[in-house]
Amino acid sequence: MAAASAGGQAIENQLKIGGFKRNVDVLALYLAGQGLRIIPSLSRFRRLRYLWINNNKIQDLTFLMKNYCLTELYLNNNELTDISGALKHLCVLQILLLHNNQLKKLDKTVKELEGMMSLQTLNLFHNPLAEDRDYRLYVIHCLPSVQLLDRKFTQKERESALLHCNHERSRLLHSIAFGKRVKTSLETTAGPSRCTQPARRLIMPSGCEFGNHTNRVPFENPDDAVLLRAMARSLMAFSSVEWNKVPTCRERRLENGAEEPQEKLTIQFR
């Protein structure tokens, strides 16, 4: 009871400091560094966007279940061991700091954050899960909106994450750029890890050919047909001309000379 009352008192103190008279006016709460173990439900602050509860002793996040508008959440330096079921409803969250906690299960933590399409900044360092061999590449691959992970992030890492976690898609993307195609097997040769997916071979039933209307799905797995179709896209070409240098009909009549050929830039891709 004492811990709960301490949390409630901390909230009331912040409301007085901010001079808030209505709960709907509260957009930010600063509850950091007060040694809090328990925080009462914040559901009355339905428009709350910024919340600092870092540097406390929080172990449970059920008090956040109704705060759908949060865009910045600072949970670092607490005693969290699991966030499953506590944050997935925060679909507009942009900044989430969880470093210096006791989060151990990488898969469960990432799964909780997968629905956050607006998440741009994420800190998970100084948690046991950050010691996983595939930690950074796995998080970057599963959370494509994240631009800053543990205070650093590079585009090269995202490309590495795609190659490491989804080798087949990475090879496919490289095969359709500017009309070039990578002539490699459809099987992946990457070693086993958390990110890699099992190798898969396109299997066509005997006597069936792609496009044979007698069998509308000639592959055992329909995804195989989609993949093969994507790899056999038609060659497309786009051309551009600097129209400022192209003479008009009137100019051609006045010059009465041979027209110089115009430079044309053509780009082909599949």
Side-chain angles (χ1 to χ4, degrees), residues 182-193:
V182 178
K183 296 183 180 301
T184 58
S185 168
L186 289 172
E187 296 182 67
T188 176
T189 57
S193 70

Side-chain angles (χ1 to χ4, degrees), residues 111 137 252:
K111 186 176 180 61
L137 294 181
R252 284 198 294 265

Side-chain angles (χ1 to χ4, degrees), residues 95-261:
I95 298 177
L96 176 60
L97 304 191
L98 282 164
H99 55 281
N100 288 327
N101 277 281
Q102 298 299 319
L103 300 174
K104 300 176 181 178
K105 297 182 179 180
L106 179 59
D107 290 329
K108 292 181 66 176
T109 300
V110 170
K111 186 176 180 61
E112 184 70 15
L113 308 179
E114 281 182 336
M116 299 180 182
M117 300 304 178
S118 301
L119 188 62
Q120 298 178 6
T121 300
L122 174 65
N123 280 1
L124 289 170
F125 63 90
H126 291 170
N127 279 286
L129 58 76
E131 300 176 5
D132 190 288
R133 180 176 60 126
D134 297 322
Y135 161 68
R136 281 191 65 84
L137 294 181
Y138 181 67
V139 173
I140 291 173
H141 175 68
C142 293
L143 306 176
S145 65
V146 173
Q147 300 177 12
L148 192 69
L149 175 61
D150 295 345
R151 300 175 180 173
K152 59 182 180 179
F153 180 71
T154 64
Q155 179 59 30
K156 186 175 181 180
E157 268 191 306
R158 182 164 302 285
E159 295 173 356
S160 299
L162 179 60
L163 178 63
H164 188 63
C165 299
N166 195 337
H167 180 75
E168 186 174 276
R169 177 171 174 78
S170 175
R171 185 188 58 75
L172 178 59
L173 289 177
H174 284 83
S175 73
I176 62 177
F178 297 99
K180 297 181 180 179
R181 179 177 296 173
V182 178
K183 296 183 180 301
T184 58
S185 168
L186 289 172
E187 296 182 67
T188 176
T189 57
S193 70
R194 176 189 299 274
C195 293
T196 53
Q197 300 176 346
R200 182 164 59 88
R201 184 190 300 275
L202 298 183
I203 302 176
M204 181 182 292
S206 59
C208 294
E209 296 180 357
F210 190 80
N212 186 346
H213 297 289
T214 60
N215 188 335
R216 299 190 64 180
V217 185
F219 291 91
E220 293 183 0
N221 187 340
D223 291 339
D224 291 341
V226 175
L227 176 61
L228 186 60
R229 192 64 173 267
M231 295 178 63
R233 290 175 178 169
S234 301
L235 186 66
M236 300 180 65
F238 286 88
S239 300
S240 63
V241 176
E242 191 171 352
W243 292 103
N244 292 331
K245 296 183 179 180
V246 177
T248 63
C249 294
R250 183 178 180 183
E251 290 172 341
R252 284 198 294 265
R253 287 197 302 269
L254 294 176
E255 291 176 1
N256 292 324
E259 183 178 344
E260 296 183 1

